[in-house]
Amino acid sequence: EAGVAQSPRYKIIEKRQSVAFWCNPISGHATLYWYQQILGQGPKLLIQFQNNGVVDDSQLPKDRFSAERLKGVDSTLKIQPAKLEDSAVYLCASSLGSSTNEKLFFGSGTQLSVL
Amino acid sequence: DQQVKQNSPSLSVQEGRISILNCDYTNSMFDYFLWYKKYPAEGPTFLISISSIKDKNEDGRFTVFLNKSAKHLSLHIVPSQPGDSAVYFCAASDGNAGNMLTFGGGTRLMVKP
């Protein structure tokens, strides 16, 4: 079974530039998550989708971050404009459903460096 | 405000010995707890979980203990193997909030041959 696919693997940009990350979840997984992991910290949830609807985006900095999941499959996360503090690994995860004991499967992440 | 804390950033143990990783939480609404393991350049992978109705769950070499009164859980790995060297994240969720996980900061485990 194919896992969660993310691209690009690495991205280096200058501050105030824009960047986009792409995620393809495991086939059949209705729930998709974007997490931000800053070096030395645990992953922090940015946004959760159930199919193509947003379940929670309370920790998404909406002045600069946006995410969409058109057709309830692939998802993109965009940052515009980027700040130095956005340097982190952006992890996408998916699960079959959104109930509490659903196992999350993570992709390898996109490592973003903002200079 | 960190709701899930792993106070030991790193732990080193000898191969064959027991590894004990600790995690504390503050939110009494958390009712499901998980441990994830992360190798460099890979995403976290699920290791073991425990519901708040239990105080112990075992899976092979891995056992998770939950002490609800102390808001503390621990992961025991015995015997430890060099392949267990990774960063371990504790995570928790509130059943009323769906499957949104709150992660601790992680503990880097090094198992020496």
Side-chain angles (χ1 to χ4, degrees):
Chain A
E1 180 185 77
V4 176
Q6 288 189 248
S7 68
R9 189 71 185 88
Y10 303 94
K11 191 74 178 178
I12 300 173
I13 61 172
E14 295 188 349
K15 59 184 179 184
R16 292 188 288 274
Q17 286 187 322
S18 62
V19 65
F21 313 126
W22 174 82
C23 173
N24 181 238
I26 293 173
S27 176
H29 280 196
T31 311
L32 185 147
Y33 316 76
W34 282 101
Y35 280 84
Q36 178 194 57
Q37 186 182 6
I38 293 172
L39 188 64
Q41 299 181 20
K44 184 185 86 170
L45 180 68
L46 293 175
I47 189 167
Q48 178 182 349
F49 291 95
Q50 178 72 16
N51 296 309
N52 60 352
V54 175
V55 174
D56 185 275
D57 63 357
S58 57
Q59 297 194 84
L60 188 74
K62 298 181 190 62
D63 58 333
R64 298 183 300 106
F65 286 64
S66 64
E68 60 183 11
R69 192 184 183 198
L70 299 175
K71 300 180 184 176
V73 182
D74 293 6
S75 176
T76 55
L77 176 70
K78 295 179 182 176
I79 308 175
Q80 182 180 13
K83 291 186 175 181
L84 296 177
E85 59 260 35
D86 298 332
S87 294
V89 175
Y90 290 84
L91 293 162
C92 179
S94 69
S95 61
L96 270 174
S98 60
S99 59
T100 302
N101 59 353
E102 291 280 3
K103 202 181 298 184
L104 268 66
F105 294 84
F106 284 86
S108 298
T110 295
Q111 186 168 331
L112 174 67
S113 297
V114 182
L115 307 178
Chain B
D1 175 34
Q2 270 191 291
Q3 297 186 68
V4 178
K5 285 185 184 177
Q6 294 176 254
N7 292 317
S8 297
S10 65
L11 174 68
S12 182
V13 299
Q14 206 66 37
E15 181 179 6
R17 306 293 292 270
I18 185 170
S19 296
I20 300 176
L21 294 90
N22 293 302
C23 177
D24 297 294
Y25 62 96
T26 57
N27 189 341
S28 56
M29 298 300 291
F30 287 148
D31 57 6
Y32 194 67
F33 304 89
L34 310 90
W35 286 92
Y36 277 79
K37 179 167 77 171
K38 186 181 182 305
Y39 292 119
E42 294 183 13
T45 56
F46 171 78
L47 189 57
I48 192 169
S49 63
I50 188 166
S51 163
S52 60
I53 62 172
K54 293 186 168 184
D55 53 18
K56 177 182 172 181
N57 189 27
E58 213 169 334
D59 183 3
R61 297 185 297 112
F62 302 91
T63 303
V64 56
F65 295 92
L66 176 62
N67 182 333
K68 287 187 291 293
S69 60
K71 294 192 177 69
H72 176 83
L73 64 155
S74 60
L75 174 68
H76 292 209
I77 307 173
V78 57
S80 301
Q81 299 173 354
D84 297 329
S85 298
V87 177
Y88 289 79
F89 291 101
C90 168
S93 67
D94 168 2
N96 295 320
N99 203 19
M100 288 180 289
L101 297 181
T102 300
F103 283 85
T107 296
R108 181 178 300 278
L109 173 66
M110 292 163 285
V111 180
K112 297 185 221 175

